[in-house]
Amino acid sequence: MEMIEFLRKTQQEVKEEIVSRAAEPGETTPFPELVFTEVVTRHMADIGMTFEPQICHYSARVGEGILRLSGYALSDDLDQLDLYVSLYEGVDQVVNVPDSETTRAAEQCSRFLNQCVSGTLLGKMDETHDAYALVQTIEKAYPGLDQIRIYVLTDRKAKTRNFQSRQIQGKTIKLEVMDIERLFNHWQSGKPRDELVVNLNDVCGAPLPCVWVADEGAEYAYAMTVFPGEALRFLYEKYGPRILEANVRSFLSQTNTVNKGIRDTLREHPERFMAYNNGVVIVADEAHLDRALDGSPGISWLKGMQVVNGGQTMASIFFTRKKYSGVDLSKVRVPAKIIVLRKSDELAEDALIADISRYANSQSAVKGSDHYANKPFQVQMEKLAMTTYCPDGVGRWYYERAAGSYKVMLDREAKSEADRRRLQDSMPPSRKLTKTDFAKYLCAWMELPDLVSLGGQKAFPAFMKRMTQADGETQVLPDVAEYKRMIAQVIIFKAATRLINPRFPAFKANVTAYTVALASHLLGARINLKDVWQKQSISPQLGNQIVAWSDEVNGLLHSSAKGRMISEWAKKRECWEHMLEHEWSAPHADIPEVGGSRLRAAS
């Protein structure tokens, strides 16, 4: 796929998302900039570049300067923060964006952050604004943040993608541009265009000793070597995400099991690091061989160096040394496999890098959800979605077992634009379900709103555990009837989202998750899910009940949080337990999905 084609497909996705939302009852047409932000950040989260993104528009003049924000993402432990600001033009040709424009956007977002940290913005902002809770959180959490990044997102092509870091109250703020070319490179999982030349004489003090395997007939040459821990720390500090462009994931947090293990080894047994760690996999376009200090073959520099596996290791070394100054990296050694590509045609080379990245990362799941993609339950859901028609006999839901398969299906099956429109009419984006979204929707119905509030990647394993028998292997496979019941639960969640989103300025996702869980708790056993499937919608009466309870849920979330960030409080199981102890208003007696007489008797 050429970049121009990719650009137009991205613009089409933005337009379809806008049309889809505008067509839903009660929905207003969203700003194209925010839809673009959602499309890009969703992809960034999928490939591990950022956390669960929140779309949040803020633009205002405060004092002498303009402040801008399009969205943000916070790590679960409130130790890492990403801010997004979008420059969206809706272009259908690859055009350049001036550095002055991206610089200005980055500065406006930096100004927003600075005003948050200084405490001057909170007093000037309306409490009902979407960004109010974020401003409040940044002001409180800033001292504990270990990593802060500002991304300028644009559908144009940028000349400069990395700006000089800023300092705000003693913390380094990284500034980057995610332009259409960089997004294209990531989406293709191919070789990034950034060409880095790393002089290992400077980084390591001498050529890096290696075992060099040169097969003239192969697509690549091959070397095995060992990097000093300090060298990898330095490379991450100097190049940051640029050296991980071809990696399918990048560093997020040291709280997960893998990164925590790396941190503990660095602190407690640095001399054992090489024995415990799998090492890194590197691709490069060129390598220069010299003699190491011991006379053996050594690599003096690498051109086009990219770490395709081991980004977690590099970043964990960097952040551990930054957080714990006493860590002795002089004892740390990291095994490395270096693959030097031989020039062939560009498409073949891109495909090879994509495969190296994919297989190198197959030792552990790129995302928790990907581990389950080929499980029988997931395969069965995909089959049911493709073979079960909606009551109109034409439409279907699309279950995206593998990320991006919806687009692949359209590209593969559509022979013309008319075919594409027909497919999209029968399976519109509004009826496309990613496996992580599906897990969120059903976890809410299972009365697990705290897990839903953690995001799809965290909710997914819990959901799959529910779908697995005690032996851990034999999975309960849904039949057509169960599939329709589950889709009915999805319809209820999506309807609740449409009804709740316009009502509250912040924490909409938390309110929705808890309201759906509450509806399931109070009405679930009596709701006729077959009726919901048959109508592919909920009744106005059920919608009114959801709205009524959402007001109560929102109030209780705020009052029970007791000064804590609502989104963080909502992730605690005790939050839901507190909700269960509350006395809720009685359900309406005229909900068709339940039946008036039974409801009256129950209440």
Side-chain angles (χ1 to χ4, degrees):
M1 181 191 295
E2 297 295 330
M3 188 161 64
I4 180 68
E5 184 183 358
F6 170 78
L7 169 64
R8 289 170 181 168
K9 285 184 180 296
T10 302
Q11 302 293 20
Q12 184 64 27
E13 183 177 355
V14 171
K15 291 174 185 175
E16 288 170 358
E17 193 77 23
I18 292 171
V19 170
S20 172
R21 295 188 191 183
E24 297 289 354
E27 281 284 315
T28 56
T29 303
F31 292 120
E33 173 206 310
L34 296 186
V35 176
F36 174 74
T37 304
E38 186 174 348
V39 167
V40 175
T41 57
R42 187 192 305 149
H43 170 69
M44 291 169 66
D46 284 345
I47 62 173
M49 286 188 68
T50 190
F51 315 97
E52 194 81 16
Q54 305 292 325
I55 307 307
C56 179
H57 175 73
Y58 182 77
S59 180
R61 179 176 288 277
V62 177
E64 296 296 316
I66 293 175
L67 281 57
R68 280 192 63 206
L69 179 74
S70 301
Y72 67 93
L74 269 165
S75 62
D76 290 343
D77 291 333
L78 298 182
D79 59 352
Q80 295 175 67
L81 169 68
D82 291 340
L83 299 176
Y84 319 118
V85 57
S86 288
L87 296 172
Y88 181 67
E89 287 292 310
V91 294
D92 62 359
Q93 297 291 333
V94 178
V95 297
N96 295 328
V97 56
D99 280 353
S100 59
E101 198 171 334
T102 52
T103 303
R104 183 165 59 249
E107 291 292 352
Q108 290 170 347
C109 198
S110 298
R111 202 175 292 127
F112 169 85
L113 178 62
N114 194 32
Q115 291 276 330
C116 292
V117 176
S118 66
T120 57
L121 185 57
L122 194 63
K124 300 174 183 178
M125 182 180 281
D126 189 330
E127 291 187 22
T128 63
H129 196 284
D130 285 14
Y132 185 84
L134 172 65
V135 175
Q136 196 174 41
T137 300
I138 291 176
E139 185 178 329
K140 291 180 181 178
Y142 195 75
L145 291 174
D146 292 332
Q147 175 177 277
I148 305 166
R149 299 177 294 193
I150 290 176
Y151 285 101
V152 179
L153 314 177
T154 179
D155 57 342
R156 289 172 284 170
K157 183 178 176 181
K159 180 180 179 182
T160 304
R161 294 184 189 154
N162 291 271
F163 298 102
Q164 185 175 355
S165 299
R166 306 287 193 273
Q167 293 290 321
I168 295 181
Q169 293 202 11
K171 292 189 181 291
T172 300
I173 316 299
K174 294 183 178 180
L175 305 179
E176 299 184 43
V177 177
M178 177 65 77
D179 66 345
I180 194 64
E181 184 175 43
R182 186 177 179 190
L183 188 63
F184 174 61
N185 291 337
H186 277 300
W187 229 304
Q188 292 293 94
S189 298
K191 184 170 75 67
R193 304 298 191 258
D194 288 348
E195 295 290 352
L196 303 178
V197 178
V198 176
N199 189 324
L200 296 176
N201 289 305
D202 296 337
V203 174
C204 304
L208 204 59
C210 71
V211 175
W212 181 261
V213 180
D215 184 347
E216 294 301 325
E219 297 173 280
Y220 56 86
Y222 184 90
M224 294 292 291
T225 187
V226 175
F227 271 86
E230 173 59 29
L232 291 182
R233 186 209 66 81
F234 172 79
L235 289 173
Y236 187 86
E237 179 181 49
K238 182 174 181 179
Y239 297 113
R242 288 184 66 203
I243 207 164
L244 305 177
E245 289 270 2
N247 199 327
V248 295
R249 59 188 165 196
S250 63
F251 180 78
L252 292 183
S253 172
Q254 292 191 353
T255 58
N256 67 60
T257 304
V258 176
N259 294 331
K260 184 176 182 296
I262 293 173
R263 181 199 67 193
D264 292 346
T265 302
L266 289 169
R267 295 184 66 193
E268 299 165 11
H269 302 288
E271 71 283 354
R272 297 182 184 176
F273 195 87
M274 186 166 170
Y276 291 171
N277 190 264
N278 287 334
V280 299
V281 179
I282 293 167
V283 296
D285 292 326
E286 295 179 34
H288 183 76
L289 289 181
D290 208 330
R291 288 289 169 184
L293 293 178
D294 62 0
S296 65
I299 303 173
S300 60
W301 55 258
L302 292 169
K303 180 180 179 182
M305 176 179 172
Q306 287 286 301
V307 177
V308 297
N309 177 247
Q312 302 285 322
T313 296
M314 284 185 72
S316 292
I317 290 173
F318 172 81
F319 282 106
T320 300
R321 180 64 177 81
K322 181 179 179 181
K323 193 167 186 177
Y324 305 101
S325 57
V327 169
D328 184 7
L329 293 184
S330 67
K331 299 178 181 179
V332 175
R333 296 291 182 271
V334 182
K337 177 167 69 175
I338 299 176
I339 299 164
V340 182
L341 303 169
R342 292 206 168 94
K343 290 296 181 183
S344 58
D345 68 275
E346 187 174 332
L347 288 177
E349 190 173 295
D350 285 355
L352 177 59
I353 292 179
D355 285 343
I356 292 169
S357 177
R358 179 158 59 93
Y359 289 116
N361 280 284
S362 65
Q363 306 167 36
S364 57
V366 173
K367 293 186 292 180
S369 60
D370 290 338
H371 177 71
Y372 297 95
N374 292 318
K375 293 291 185 181
F377 176 86
Q378 295 295 326
V379 174
Q380 176 73 350
M381 281 299 301
E382 184 180 56
K383 288 180 180 177
L384 287 168
M386 293 305 293
T387 57
T388 306
Y389 285 83
C390 295
D392 63 6
V394 177
R396 286 175 290 174
W397 286 75
Y398 187 89
Y399 190 80
E400 197 171 56
R401 178 168 64 93
S405 65
Y406 180 76
K407 288 183 179 178
V408 172
M409 179 273 296
L410 291 176
D411 292 342
R412 184 184 66 245
E413 296 189 17
K415 308 301 182 186
S416 64
E417 279 304 311
D419 278 348
R420 192 179 188 89
R421 285 193 296 271
R422 177 182 54 78
L423 282 168
Q424 287 179 314
D425 286 343
S426 65
M427 292 178 284
S430 61
R431 288 208 297 261
K432 181 191 78 172
L433 285 172
T434 66
K435 57 183 179 291
T436 49
D437 281 345
F438 182 71
K440 282 198 307 183
Y441 302 155
L442 266 66
C443 278
W445 196 256
M446 292 172 177
E447 300 183 35
L448 301 170
D450 48 319
L451 278 173
V452 179
S453 296
L454 287 169
Q457 289 297 326
K458 299 286 178 63
F460 189 86
F463 170 72
M464 286 302 297
K465 190 174 181 180
R466 293 285 183 114
M467 297 296 108
T468 303
Q469 298 281 16
D471 61 12
E473 292 297 330
T474 305
Q475 294 189 339
V476 180
L477 299 182
D479 57 14
V480 173
E482 182 60 22
Y483 169 77
K484 291 179 179 180
R485 284 176 51 82
M486 290 190 289
I487 295 299
Q489 294 165 24
V490 169
I491 291 169
I492 292 172
F493 191 101
K494 288 170 78 70
T497 301
R498 290 194 300 271
L499 292 166
I500 290 170
N501 275 357
R503 298 184 62 79
F504 305 106
F507 312 117
K508 304 171 185 181
N510 305 120
V511 175
T512 301
Y514 274 80
T515 301
V516 172
L518 180 65
S520 176
H521 180 71
L522 297 177
L523 295 177
R526 290 176 283 163
I527 285 182
N528 186 345
L529 293 174
K530 289 182 181 179
D531 189 43
V532 175
W533 164 264
Q534 196 65 27
K535 295 178 179 177
Q536 291 290 295
S537 65
I538 66 171
S539 66
Q541 293 91 331
L542 180 54
N544 291 337
Q545 182 64 72
I546 286 171
V547 167
W549 278 335
S550 73
D551 289 337
E552 297 177 49
V553 166
N554 182 61
L556 189 55
L557 277 174
H558 280 79
S559 63
S560 61
K562 297 179 180 178
R564 287 170 286 192
M565 179 78 162
I566 303 297
S567 57
E568 296 307 307
W569 168 232
K571 295 173 183 176
K572 308 293 184 184
R573 188 62 186 172
E574 60 186 291
C575 179
W576 176 237
E577 292 170 352
H578 181 79
M579 292 262 177
L580 292 177
E581 296 172 358
H582 184 71
E583 186 174 342
W584 302 95
S585 63
H588 300 157
D590 60 348
I591 300 174
E593 290 89 343
V594 178
S597 59
R598 283 183 294 165
L599 247 183
R600 277 192 290 273
S603 59

